[in-house]
Amino acid sequence: MARSKPSARDALRKLREQREELDAREARLREEAATELGRLLIECGAETLEPGALRQLIRQSMTLGIDETLKRLAPA
């Protein structure tokens, strides 16, 4: 017997399930990445920085680009 084409409702349900699985996976991976970055910050001694200052430093570095930021921070 030939299989009928899945209905749009079935396809939509499956898509929503996949999206939920991806959202859960993304949340888990974001937590793992945060843990890795936190360890790196502690290894560098950045635990002494205020969270707001660190956030501002990172945002500005991302705006300038990593290479440009490193050039500007390098001793003359």
Side-chain angles (χ1 to χ4, degrees), residues 35-47:
T35 299
E36 290 174 12
L37 291 171
R39 285 188 189 116
L40 183 122
L41 289 170
I42 290 172
E43 288 174 11
C44 295
E47 72 276 3

Side-chain angles (χ1 to χ4, degrees), residues 7-71:
S7 73
R9 289 180 313 133
D10 290 338
L12 182 58
R13 182 183 45 77
K14 183 177 179 181
L15 181 64
R16 286 183 178 161
E17 288 171 359
Q18 290 172 339
R19 185 175 294 131
E20 288 173 6
E21 290 170 3
L22 286 173
D23 287 346
R25 183 174 177 209
E26 180 182 9
R28 187 180 68 253
L29 290 171
R30 289 174 71 85
E31 285 295 320
E32 290 175 15
T35 299
E36 290 174 12
L37 291 171
R39 285 188 189 116
L40 183 122
L41 289 170
I42 290 172
E43 288 174 11
C44 295
E47 72 276 3
T48 61
L49 296 174
E50 290 296 321
L54 180 59
R55 183 180 299 116
Q56 184 179 5
L57 175 65
I58 298 298
R59 284 185 176 155
Q60 295 221 350
S61 296
M62 297 307 292
T63 299
L64 285 172
I66 298 299
D67 292 335
E68 181 61 27
T69 300
L70 291 175
K71 268 196 267 184

